[in-house]
Amino acid sequence: MERQITKRTGRRDFLKSSLAASAYVVAGSSLPRQGFAAESKTSRRFFPVKISHERIIRTVIGLRPYRSQGFVLRAERLGEKVLIHNYGHGGSGVTLSWGVATLAVELARDIEQHNVAVIGCGVIGLSTARMLQRRGRAVTIYARELPPETTSNVSGALWYPTSIYNPQKVSPQFLEQFQLACRISQRAFQTLVGTEYGVRWMETFDLQRESAPLERVLPGGAQLYPETRIHKDAKHYFGFPFVRQFNTMMIEPSVYLPALLRDFHIAGGKVVVRELRSREEIAALPEPVVFNCTGLGAKTLFDDAVLIPVRGQLEVLLPQPEIDYCYLSNSSYMFPRRDGIILGGTFEHDKWSLAPETELTTRIIEANAEIMKGLRR
């Protein structure tokens, strides 16, 4: 029988203290809360995104590791080892990475062994490994693939926690954990803003035909999005009558993930390129503590029947350095990065194919081109 090996009282105290610290950070930064209605007057100039099939430089597909019941943060016994799970973050692996890494490492707080293993070298594995190093542990990463070949490398990577869980299937305890992970992670990314890690603040616009979606709290909490404003009768923005404007961070995977891997090596970390195919192979590793950060791989490796892929297809256009805003709508989104303009908006549940679909390419291009028609020039 597997048993829970962390102390409930210790975890409860940690959550309380972390929530208090997060509240202090938020209060001290004087971030405005959601719901402030602004007049639709602006001198803001929006350069148009040049959207056409001819400007596509690549099509990428990623499989988000989604669990309707939410991500897994849990410790158990595997023979003589301690196994700590940290997987199933849906479309928000990058967004939640520092938060869930912090909470996962906290599960090993009372374990004295110095040497630990991390399985997986995507953003969750790397973040967990770095947090372990900061706690003084010697870390070895075991992974089949390294950046730039991981799923994390093809993510859109706007700091915006969505596509994580089904609200009807999660517990209040999970939601508390989710909110805490968001607060920890958002604060951590603030310290990485700059060209070295490819993190920058970005003005973002949520475009809606009806006002109801804008009345909902932003994912993770309104306090995490500076300068939030709701514009009504805002057709001069993008042709939509209702627009929510806020600031969040853009993370560029092609810069960010190599920087994390570099930091891991500088801190003395070791990487072993190896695919672990069973619990028995994991149990045979030399490290007494193992962190499972395998994402979608946990479905087979740990028999997680709830874990499914949510397929996302992105069309990447030629870069446009003058584009300095993001937008989100019900059917599409646009993120400007130095490696290209990212167009997306597909969330296909339980679909495993990694082959590009021409029909989806056309739909993504046409949906974003329609938004550009309503753009105020």
Side-chain angles (χ1 to χ4, degrees):
M1 291 291 292
E2 296 172 347
R3 64 184 178 90
Q4 194 75 12
I5 63 172
T6 53
K7 298 180 180 178
R8 294 180 60 85
T9 54
R11 185 182 304 176
R12 189 182 302 115
D13 291 342
F14 170 73
L15 290 175
K16 287 181 179 178
S17 63
S18 297
L19 281 169
S22 298
Y24 175 81
V25 170
V26 171
S29 60
S30 301
L31 298 184
R33 296 191 176 274
Q34 183 181 2
F36 173 78
E39 297 294 331
S40 56
K41 296 178 182 179
T42 182
S43 58
R44 175 81 155 87
R45 180 180 181 184
F46 297 96
F47 289 95
V49 180
K50 302 172 184 176
I51 298 176
S52 69
H53 285 270
E54 291 75 19
R55 291 184 62 82
I56 296 175
I57 56 176
R58 63 184 180 276
T59 298
V60 296
I61 292 90
L63 302 180
R64 308 171 178 98
Y66 175 80
R67 301 180 82 256
S68 60
Q69 299 170 4
F71 52 76
V72 178
L73 282 173
R74 186 182 72 249
E76 64 183 53
R77 286 284 180 183
L78 180 61
E80 297 299 317
K81 294 188 185 301
V82 177
L83 177 63
I84 298 176
H85 296 288
N86 183 13
Y87 71 89
H89 306 93
S92 297
V94 175
T95 294
L96 293 174
S97 55
W98 287 112
V100 293
T102 300
L103 298 179
V105 171
E106 180 63 20
L107 294 177
R109 178 178 56 180
D110 298 328
I111 299 173
E112 296 180 357
Q113 286 88 344
H114 180 66
N115 296 322
V116 299
V118 172
I119 310 174
C121 199
V123 70
I124 299 297
L126 283 169
S127 302
T128 301
R130 290 292 294 125
M131 286 304 302
L132 286 164
Q133 288 179 322
R134 292 176 184 178
R135 300 287 182 91
R137 305 296 179 102
V139 186
T140 299
I141 292 177
Y142 295 86
R144 181 185 64 186
E145 297 171 331
L146 308 179
E149 303 302 326
T150 67
T151 299
S152 301
N153 283 88
V154 297
S155 62
L158 183 73
W159 200 96
Y160 195 75
T162 59
S163 184
I164 301 170
Y165 58 86
N166 182 336
Q168 306 302 318
K169 295 187 177 182
V170 295
S171 67
Q173 292 76 18
F174 171 81
L175 292 177
E176 180 183 44
Q177 188 179 58
F178 165 68
Q179 296 283 346
L180 178 56
C182 286
R183 295 178 186 182
I184 294 172
S185 195
Q186 197 260 12
R187 184 65 184 88
F189 274 111
Q190 288 186 40
T191 68
L192 301 176
V193 169
T195 57
E196 181 181 1
Y197 290 93
V199 180
R200 56 178 169 153
W201 285 97
M202 182 69 64
E203 197 170 34
T204 305
F205 297 85
D206 184 6
L207 315 176
Q208 299 290 339
R209 298 295 181 189
E210 300 177 357
S211 62
L214 298 183
E215 295 168 359
R216 295 197 294 264
V217 174
L218 284 159
Q223 70 273 18
L224 301 180
Y225 304 87
E227 293 189 339
T228 298
R229 296 180 175 86
I230 293 178
H231 303 272
K232 297 182 178 180
D233 189 26
K235 291 185 179 181
H236 68 291
Y237 276 91
F238 296 88
F240 286 75
F242 303 99
V243 176
R244 174 163 51 190
Q245 173 186 345
F246 56 90
N247 284 275
T248 189
M249 285 172 281
M250 171 65 67
I251 301 101
E252 303 204 24
S254 62
V255 178
Y256 181 66
L257 294 171
L260 282 190
L261 187 56
R262 175 208 63 200
D263 291 349
F264 174 73
H265 283 301
I266 290 174
K270 179 182 177 182
V271 174
V272 176
V273 179
R274 174 187 173 187
E275 181 178 7
L276 297 170
R277 301 177 181 273
S278 67
R279 283 175 171 260
E280 291 72 23
E281 291 186 6
I282 294 172
L285 294 176
E287 294 81 10
V289 183
V290 179
F291 286 77
N292 165 35
C293 303
T294 56
L296 197 56
K299 182 175 184 64
T300 300
L301 193 57
F302 296 99
D303 302 316
D304 189 332
V306 177
L307 185 64
I308 65 169
V310 174
R311 183 183 185 276
Q313 179 167 317
L314 301 177
E315 304 300 328
V316 185
L317 309 183
L318 286 167
Q320 288 184 247
E322 73 275 15
I323 304 300
D324 58 353
Y325 60 91
C326 300
Y327 62 71
L328 314 165
S329 76
N330 289 335
S331 61
S332 58
Y333 57 76
M334 184 281 297
F335 306 153
R337 299 195 326 216
R338 282 176 291 184
D339 61 338
I341 298 289
I342 310 298
L343 303 181
T346 63
F347 298 86
E348 300 176 281
H349 285 240
D350 210 14
K351 188 168 183 177
W352 291 86
S353 173
L354 291 173
E357 297 184 10
T358 303
E359 291 183 2
L360 282 180
T361 298
T362 299
R363 192 180 87 189
I364 291 169
I365 292 295
E366 290 181 351
N368 285 278
E370 189 65 26
I371 290 174
M372 282 300 103
K373 289 180 182 179
L375 180 67
R376 174 183 176 272
R377 307 297 176 91

